[in-house]
Amino acid sequence: MKEFFQKIKIDKITEFLKKNARYFGAAAVFVAMVLILARCTDGTTSDKDPMAGAYQQYAESDNKEVNDLITKYYEYYAAGDTDSLKQIATPISDAEVSYIQFYSQYIEKYQNLKVYTKRGLDKDSYLCSVYLQIKFANIDTPVAGLDFFYVQTKDDGSLYINNVYGSFNQSNGEFDMDTDIASLIATFEQQSDVLALQAEVQQECNEAMLADENLNTFVNTTLQDAIKQWAADYKASVAQAAEEAAAAKAAEEEAAAKAAEEAKAAEEAAAAEAAEAANAKTKVTTDKINVRDAASEDGNLLGQLASGTQVTWYADENGWAKIDYNGTKAYVKADYLADVSGDSTQDTSQSTNSSANLSQGQEITLANTVNVRESMSETASKVAVAYAGEQVTVIESYADGWTKVDYNGKQGYCKTEYLQ
């Protein structure tokens, strides 16, 4: 049976012995000491010895909770129900989940279970050998098998299978084993009653193989080829998942770096814009000029500004002035902008108008750009900017040098000296 079960359960016993060979020497010395001490004591040493359970005689279990636990395990296993298995056996790795779901498709059922137990490392744990018959799908003859479980008790008093010591982990070593429990199991596997049960099941298995050629071919060829293919496929899926995870991580890091760069660029742009706004000046065009979207003759033409148009200037860049044009940043030739003096581009010495020659309702064509303000003060807010060539209508002229005008339906005040 041992050779057969190695094939269908991934070298359960032999692989375990290889992986835990380092514990055998310590276990043997410990056993010898126990035997010597037992001769010199009142017979109670074996009850206190954590290894004592391995030397107990097999007994078919009459513990209903243990038997029900093992029965549920095989019901869930045959159904490939790994979610339910995880509730009674832990830990179960991703690899074992995949293997169970693969292997269960060949199982019709597990039947005729017999559970044999010895005490585990303490009185609340169990070394369990399980005899069973495996009925493969589309195979007439069931075949005998022998499995091992280490059953422990939870804090709430319920039992669970410590799957660290199950056949899959014994073969693949995904989880570290407790050295004391591993030594106990190694000793248990060498006991005469355990070996006798293994031999008995092996004989029954051999007879079934000889009696059913289909069973023999399935177990030794079909199933083994399928297991090899599963292992290759699983390895490839793990590698692909690792590549995808690495790619996702790289993409996430790249996105984070890009976001950081964009945030820095936005911060720098905001700071630059704030600095430009703080240094902004009002200037006036000295000729009709083109407005472009870049500081170059190759920039797209956005429009034109008439001579005498006031603009908000931010900075000069290689002979081009950055200005505000309809709420956006644009560029004009810097040579065609001049500083604004007072409330008009006109030199005040050239102003000849006064309140004496202005009358109510008079329409005046402006010779220069003029600011129309809310009140008679050069610091008052602007209502509008009236450009050269446009008209304003006089409402009332005052002796203190200001005239109230109507400009395109907006009323405000202009310096009288700038009106002609």
Side-chain angles (χ1 to χ4, degrees):
M1 175 58 206
K2 193 172 189 178
E3 294 177 358
F4 166 71
F5 201 68
Q6 286 172 343
K7 292 177 180 178
I8 66 173
K9 298 297 280 185
I10 316 180
D11 297 330
K12 171 181 178 293
I13 298 171
T14 302
E15 193 66 24
F16 171 76
L17 296 177
K18 289 179 180 179
K19 288 181 178 293
N20 296 280
R22 63 184 181 277
Y23 302 129
F24 295 163
V29 172
F30 192 87
V31 170
M33 292 176 64
V34 169
L35 293 175
I36 293 172
L37 290 172
R39 297 176 183 175
C40 304
T41 63
D42 59 1
T44 61
T45 303
S46 61
D47 295 332
K48 299 177 182 178
D49 177 15
M51 300 290 288
Y55 306 112
Q56 292 178 341
Q57 288 298 310
Y58 255 150
E60 188 170 350
S61 174
D62 59 359
N63 186 318
K64 185 177 184 303
E65 190 176 359
V66 171
N67 295 342
D68 288 347
L69 179 70
I70 300 301
T71 299
K72 285 181 181 179
Y73 178 90
Y74 284 108
E75 287 177 355
Y76 297 152
Y77 201 108
D81 185 358
T82 51
D83 288 338
S84 295
L85 273 176
K86 288 179 180 179
Q87 302 303 312
I88 62 172
T90 187
I92 299 180
S93 67
D94 291 342
E96 188 173 3
V97 166
S98 176
Y99 179 78
I100 292 170
Q101 292 172 347
F102 146 77
Y103 189 78
S104 64
Q105 65 184 316
Y106 297 100
I107 304 298
E108 183 177 307
K109 63 180 177 178
Y110 293 100
Q111 60 189 31
N112 298 328
L113 274 63
K114 292 182 182 179
V115 182
Y116 299 87
T117 60
K118 295 187 179 186
R119 198 196 80 172
L121 204 62
D122 55 54
K123 64 182 180 60
D124 295 319
S125 59
Y126 304 87
L127 297 159
C128 299
S129 288
V130 180
Y131 166 85
L132 68 158
Q133 289 181 334
I134 308 169
K135 177 65 173 66
F136 291 108
N138 302 318
I139 301 296
D140 293 334
T141 305
V143 64
L146 191 65
D147 210 348
F148 172 81
F149 297 94
Y150 191 69
V151 175
Q152 292 183 279
T153 303
K154 298 180 182 178
D155 292 339
D156 64 5
S158 62
L159 299 181
Y160 75 100
I161 295 169
N162 188 333
N163 205 48
V164 168
Y165 307 99
S167 59
F168 193 90
N169 192 57
Q170 288 183 20
S171 298
N172 296 281
E174 294 188 292
F175 302 108
D176 292 334
M177 298 184 185
D178 179 271
T179 55
D180 292 335
I181 297 177
S183 296
L184 174 65
I185 295 173
T187 302
F188 166 81
E189 295 283 359
Q190 298 303 306
Q191 299 309 301
S192 59
D193 52 355
V194 177
L195 296 173
L197 181 58
Q198 290 174 357
E200 180 183 336
V201 175
Q202 180 68 68
Q203 180 62 32
E204 184 179 343
C205 175
N206 291 341
E207 291 174 357
M209 296 284 225
L210 290 172
D212 190 335
E213 182 61 28
N214 289 335
L215 173 65
N216 184 59
T217 300
F218 174 78
V219 169
N220 291 302
T221 302
T222 305
L223 188 58
Q224 296 310 304
D225 290 345
I227 290 174
K228 291 176 182 178
Q229 187 60 52
W230 165 80
D233 291 345
Y234 183 77
K235 182 178 180 180
S237 69
V238 170
Q240 182 179 354
E243 290 179 3
E244 291 174 352
K249 182 178 181 181
E252 183 179 349
E253 291 175 349
E254 182 179 352
K258 184 178 179 180
E261 289 177 2
E262 291 175 348
K264 182 178 179 182
E267 184 178 347
E268 291 175 349
E273 189 170 337
E276 286 182 349
N279 296 321
K281 298 178 181 178
T282 299
K283 294 198 176 188
V284 66
T285 59
T286 60
D287 201 346
K288 182 178 181 180
I289 55 176
N290 292 327
V291 183
R292 300 186 181 275
D293 65 356
S296 168
E297 294 285 0
D298 296 328
N300 295 319
L301 184 64
L302 301 179
Q304 292 182 326
L305 294 175
S307 175
T309 302
Q310 285 190 343
V311 297
T312 300
W313 170 96
Y314 296 109
D316 283 345
E317 298 180 8
N318 299 320
W320 290 81
K322 182 189 287 189
I323 65 169
D324 179 88
Y325 180 71
N326 296 332
T328 62
K329 299 297 174 60
Y331 296 86
V332 296
K333 280 295 191 77
D335 291 342
Y336 296 101
L337 292 183
D339 291 333
V340 175
S341 176
D343 270 29
S344 172
T345 58
Q346 180 189 27
D347 190 328
T348 57
S349 64
Q350 298 176 354
S351 298
T352 59
N353 289 318
S354 67
S355 61
N357 54 18
L358 295 178
S359 59
Q360 185 176 2
Q362 181 181 351
E363 292 185 354
I364 298 174
T365 299
L366 299 174
N368 299 284
T369 298
V370 177
N371 291 322
V372 181
R373 299 184 179 276
E374 286 184 345
S375 61
M376 292 183 286
S377 171
E378 291 185 358
T379 60
S381 299
K382 296 177 184 178
V383 172
V385 177
Y387 297 105
E390 295 184 317
Q391 289 186 333
V392 297
T393 302
V394 176
I395 297 176
E396 186 175 356
S397 186
Y398 301 91
D400 55 2
W402 288 87
T403 298
K404 186 175 184 180
V405 300
D406 181 285
Y407 170 68
N408 291 336
K410 297 180 180 179
Q411 296 185 2
Y413 297 85
C414 297
K415 292 296 288 286
T416 304
E417 61 184 296
Y418 298 142
L419 301 179
Q420 291 184 350

